[in-house]
Amino acid sequence: MTGLGSDLEPAGVRVIGRRAWIRDNLASLAYLTDPVADQLVRSTGLTREVARRMLGLQLGAVFGYLSTRVLGQYEVFLPGGREPGRLTLVGPNLVHLERTLLPETDVSPPEFRMGIALHEIAHRLQFEGVGWMRPTLRSLLDDYLADARVDPERMRATVERAGEMLRSPQRLFDSKQLLELVLTSAQRTVLERAQNLMALLEGHGNAVMDWGAKVVAIEDGIDLDPSRVRRVLNERRKRPTDKAMRKAMGLSMKAEQYRIGERFILSVADTHGQDMFNRVWEDADHVPTAAELEEPEDWVARVSGQSR
């Protein structure tokens, strides 16, 4: 169906709570943040304890928000850099959405869960079936964490403002103040650099839902309509509070990534076949540019070595 991971073992999945999701993600990144903390000590004069707390605050605030939103995740980086990753579903978030949004739709819980699972399994295939994918994401993450230390004065101000906010707990509910505290403009630049890759990965996750729907219907007896599942997710993203938080965190493009990436992938696959699209996994240089995402035929011409 995807041309990836034919030699992988069948996927396993675990269902966890929000606190466990935060804890596991922070543990997975600890081996990356410790070296960054050491460099912060050298470049800013902060003590190692303060540097580690600052990084913990930054990551903890972001994960604290995401823990209430994430439905499923393929955990690429595990503690100690273990491989392969693991497929995780955040149970409370799935149940909450099924109870609050699904009753207003024609989507059943089994259909919705299968759609989410197929999307995350696509990420497993990407990272375990494509040799360059994990190192590329690791490089982006290294750059993101490195950007946290480029401005020593901001780092000191961040620690001071964190203390002020902790003395006034009600301010922790002000999303604008909280997210201004933990994200730097440099980090936003790194996130922008990742947009093309994320559009490919997220769009592919959605495309796999389409490609896998017939298989699910035959083998599992679930009437999966990916368009219905996506409508539920889109309605969730439209909620005003969620939109404001995602925009402040630099995540407002994520929904657009799904749309742009999926449109690119389906255009290439429908016009030239899935084998042509699968050439994207051959080399990191085959990741489409922003312009190629809008003009898939330009990507086909570049990768195939043909003039358009």
Side-chain angles (χ1 to χ4, degrees):
M1 180 174 68
T2 65
L4 300 176
S6 58
D7 57 342
L8 295 177
E9 295 292 327
V13 64
R14 64 181 191 139
V15 180
I16 61 175
R18 292 165 179 162
R19 290 184 180 180
W21 185 87
I22 295 174
R23 182 178 62 248
D24 288 354
N25 274 270
L26 290 176
S28 296
L29 290 175
Y31 75 102
L32 295 176
T33 59
D34 277 351
V36 175
D38 289 337
Q39 295 180 45
L40 276 170
V41 170
R42 292 193 295 271
S43 63
T44 67
L46 297 173
T47 67
R48 179 174 175 78
E49 180 180 0
V50 170
R52 292 189 66 181
R53 285 183 177 179
M54 188 286 303
L55 289 169
L57 173 66
Q58 182 178 73
L59 293 172
V62 173
F63 283 136
Y65 166 71
L66 291 178
S67 70
T68 67
R69 313 304 299 163
V70 170
L71 301 174
Q73 175 190 14
Y74 186 69
E75 298 178 74
V76 179
F77 300 112
L78 297 179
R82 299 196 312 269
E83 296 182 20
R86 64 188 174 197
L87 184 61
T88 296
L89 298 178
V90 184
N93 295 346
L94 279 169
V95 171
H96 176 73
L97 193 148
E98 290 171 0
R99 290 176 176 174
T100 57
L101 278 185
L102 291 195
E104 304 172 4
T105 72
D106 54 355
V107 178
S108 69
E111 178 185 12
F112 184 74
R113 295 177 189 182
M114 182 61 72
I116 298 299
L118 282 174
H119 184 97
E120 299 307 329
I121 286 174
H123 292 324
R124 175 182 184 251
L125 297 177
Q126 293 159 1
F127 284 100
E128 307 310 333
V130 181
W132 54 264
M133 190 65 71
R134 183 177 270 105
T136 297
L137 183 60
R138 171 66 183 270
S139 177
L140 288 170
L141 183 57
D142 285 345
D143 288 345
Y144 178 88
L145 292 173
D147 284 335
R149 68 176 187 275
V150 297
D151 186 347
E153 291 305 316
R154 180 181 173 86
M155 301 305 299
R156 293 189 179 92
T158 295
V159 174
E160 292 175 0
R161 290 183 62 195
E164 294 174 5
M165 292 184 73
L166 290 174
R167 286 192 293 272
S168 303
Q170 67 275 12
R171 296 177 65 187
L172 294 175
F173 294 95
D174 186 331
S175 61
K176 186 174 184 297
Q177 290 192 49
L178 180 61
L179 295 171
E180 284 180 352
L181 171 68
V182 300
L183 291 181
T184 69
S185 59
Q187 288 171 320
R188 293 179 185 276
T189 300
V190 175
L191 290 177
E192 290 175 5
R193 287 170 47 201
Q195 292 298 316
N196 293 344
L197 178 61
M198 296 309 298
L200 172 66
L201 299 184
E202 298 297 354
H204 184 244
N206 267 5
V208 167
M209 274 201 285
D210 287 279
W211 296 339
K214 293 181 180 178
V215 176
V216 169
I218 294 172
E219 296 185 358
D220 296 278
I222 297 175
D223 181 19
L224 174 60
D225 182 342
S227 64
R228 293 201 300 256
V229 174
R230 283 194 286 273
R231 278 200 300 271
V232 173
L233 297 175
N234 288 337
E235 284 301 316
R236 184 188 189 221
R237 297 185 190 109
K238 290 178 182 177
R239 293 180 172 181
T241 302
D242 189 53
K243 287 177 67 176
M245 290 287 283
R246 293 171 69 86
K247 182 176 181 179
M249 293 179 70
L251 297 173
S252 60
M253 277 296 293
K254 191 172 178 65
E256 188 72 358
Q257 289 166 2
Y258 285 107
R259 183 185 68 80
I260 293 174
E262 182 183 6
R263 184 180 63 193
F264 166 83
I265 292 164
L266 294 179
S267 175
V268 172
D270 291 346
T271 304
H272 301 277
Q274 287 189 27
D275 287 344
M276 180 66 231
F277 165 71
N278 285 338
R279 293 196 61 182
V280 77
W281 311 121
E282 293 176 357
D283 193 287
D285 289 338
H286 286 187
V287 174
T289 64
E292 288 170 342
L293 285 168
E294 296 292 344
E295 295 290 341
E297 291 301 316
D298 290 347
W299 178 85
V300 171
R302 175 171 68 87
V303 172
S304 63
Q306 301 174 356
S307 59
R308 186 179 177 188

